[in-house]
Every structure is written in C-alpha cells, then in structure tokens.
C-alpha cells in the first residue's frame, strides 16, 4: 500500500497524539514524582521549582524509554537487583517523607515561606532526588514495561521516534503545568498552610514507601 503525503502526515500525527496521550496517562497519576513537584512548587522560589520540574521530567522520560525497550525483563532476570532497588527506594521514600512531615514552614525575613531543611535545590541533590523517586521503584518499571512494551510491538521503526516525541512532550507539559499551577497559588499559603502541605506530602511519600516495601513480602 502506497502512502500519499496527506495520508502519511495523518499517520504521523496519529502516532504523535497516541504518544502524547499515553505520556500524559503515564505521568499524571499521583505518585512520588508529583508529590515532590507539588511540595517544591508550594515551598520554594519559582526558578528552583522549575529546576525540580526539569529534573523530574528528564527522569520520567528516561524511565519511559527504558520501559519502552523492555527494562522490566532485566529485573525479571535479576531478582536480587529488583530486591535491592526496592529496599533503597523504600528507605529513601520513608526518610524524606518523615523529615518532610516533621518540618515546619517558617517566615523568612522577606515574608516568604521557608524551605524544609531536607529539601535542597542544588542541581546535584535535585537530580539525585528525582532519580531515586523515579527509578528505584521496580513495580513501576514492571508496570511501565507491560504498558509501553505492548505499544512498542505495534510501532514501526519510522513511527517510534514520533511516539517518543509525543510522550516526552506530554511529560514536560504535565510537570511544568503542575509547577506553574501550584506556584501561582503559593502567595496564598501562610506558614500554617505550608506546614500542613508538608505533612500531607510527607505522609503521602511514607505511604508510597510502605507500599513499595510491602512488595518484598
């Protein structure tokens, strides 16, 4: 079957849209990444919150690509690696969750809410946090491999780049839109509200850590 320029353009657009839709569905559900982005945007300067959004987006895209190419199969072959990743991921989620829940947002000299002592915006620490929250969750990798691996089998070599571009665009749009939305409401957050945001985010991270740890039982 020969494709005319019009039909080829329609087919390419379809793959972009499919990738965008799947990327949005992959990034939007509440999880450690979204909790991290929300807490950062609500408690830190916008430029630093954008830094977090960029790091999370990059890790989300790399994980999606790894799942697309069957990373879950590697964890199936190496159960010890899956167990090690689960232990480290669980411990990190619990550690950051407990510290966040115990933190207090205080007014600084300029009248803006202070940042949590465990929450650093240095590029290196943001990258480590984004990597840990994204990659050290074997169950997410396995689920992502099942979801994305099925689509990979249906894509031709020429269609795969368009699908990936759609996914990456959706991930970037989601995390940056979430950052912008929370940051726009930040001026309404007093110290007491910030304290409860920290507690809720901390509790959510602890719950995710416990859920991850239960996978070892």
């Amino acid at each position: 079957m020969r494709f005319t320029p019009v039909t080829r353009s329609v087919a390419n657009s379809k793959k972009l849209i499919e990738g965008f839709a799947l990327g949005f569905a992959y990034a939007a559900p509440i999880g450690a990444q979204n909790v991290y982005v929300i807490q950062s945007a609500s408690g830190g300067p916008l430029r630093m919150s954008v830094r977090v959004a960029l790091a999370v987006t990059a890790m989300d895209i790399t994980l999606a690509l790894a799942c697309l190419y069957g990373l879950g199969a590697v964890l199936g072959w190496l159960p010890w690696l899956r167990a090690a990743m689960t232990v480290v991921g669980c411990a990190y989620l619990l550690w950051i969750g407990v510290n966040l829940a115990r933190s207090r947002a205080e007014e600084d000299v300029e009248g803006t809410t202070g940042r949590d002592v465990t929450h650093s915006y240095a590029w290196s620490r943001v990258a480590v946090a984004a990597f840990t929250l994204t990659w050290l969750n074997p169950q997410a990798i396995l689920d992502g491999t099942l979801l994305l691996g099925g689509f990979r089998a249906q894509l031709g070599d020429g269609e795969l780049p368009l699908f990936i571009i759609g996914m990456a665009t959706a991930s970037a749009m989601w995390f940056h839109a979430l950052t912008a939305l929370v940051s726009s409401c930040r001026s309404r957050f007093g110290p007491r509200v910030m304290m409860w945001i920290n507690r809720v985010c901390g509790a959510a991270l602890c719950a995710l850590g416990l859920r991850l740890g239960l996978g070892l039982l």
Side-chain angles (χ1 to χ4, degrees):
M1 178 179 178
R2 297 183 59 185
F3 287 95
T4 66
V6 173
T7 56
R8 189 179 298 277
S9 177
V10 171
N12 290 343
S13 299
K14 182 179 179 181
K15 295 306 173 185
L16 277 170
I17 294 172
E18 287 180 356
F20 183 88
L22 189 61
F24 185 82
Y26 188 74
I30 191 65
Q33 293 172 305
N34 285 324
V35 173
Y36 183 40
V37 169
I38 290 171
Q39 199 279 332
S40 301
S42 63
L46 178 59
R47 67 182 184 279
M48 297 302 180
S49 302
V50 171
R51 179 178 295 184
V52 171
L54 284 170
V56 171
T57 297
M59 295 302 169
D60 187 68
I61 292 172
T62 56
L63 179 62
L65 288 173
C67 291
L68 195 62
Y69 284 95
L71 178 62
V74 177
L75 296 182
W77 298 331
L78 301 173
W80 63 268
L81 179 60
R82 177 180 179 180
M85 291 174 63
T86 300
V87 170
V88 176
C90 175
Y92 184 80
L93 284 170
L94 291 174
W95 175 77
I96 194 173
V98 169
N99 281 279
L100 192 57
R102 293 174 59 188
S103 69
R104 287 191 175 187
E106 299 177 352
E107 293 286 338
D108 62 21
V109 293
E110 297 179 355
T112 56
T113 52
R115 281 172 265 172
D116 181 73
V117 293
T118 66
H119 191 78
S120 171
Y121 291 94
W123 270 114
S124 58
R125 300 194 68 174
V126 168
V128 169
F131 173 83
T132 305
L133 295 174
T134 303
W135 276 84
L136 297 186
N137 187 342
Q139 190 57 51
I141 295 175
L142 293 172
D143 292 343
T145 299
L146 291 174
L147 175 65
L148 299 176
F151 278 87
R152 173 68 180 88
Q154 301 173 20
L155 296 171
D157 292 336
E159 297 172 331
L160 185 58
L162 296 171
F163 187 83
I164 291 173
I165 290 172
M167 284 191 61
T169 301
S171 179
M173 288 183 63
W174 169 257
F175 290 116
H176 285 80
L178 183 61
T179 296
L181 176 62
V182 177
S183 295
S184 67
C185 301
R186 182 172 176 266
S187 59
R188 304 176 185 178
F189 300 157
R192 186 173 181 83
V193 174
M194 274 303 308
M195 180 181 69
W196 280 104
I197 289 176
N198 286 343
R199 287 179 177 178
V200 171
C201 290
L205 290 174
C206 287
L208 290 168
L210 290 173
R211 180 183 177 187
L212 180 60
L214 289 176
L216 290 174
L217 302 179

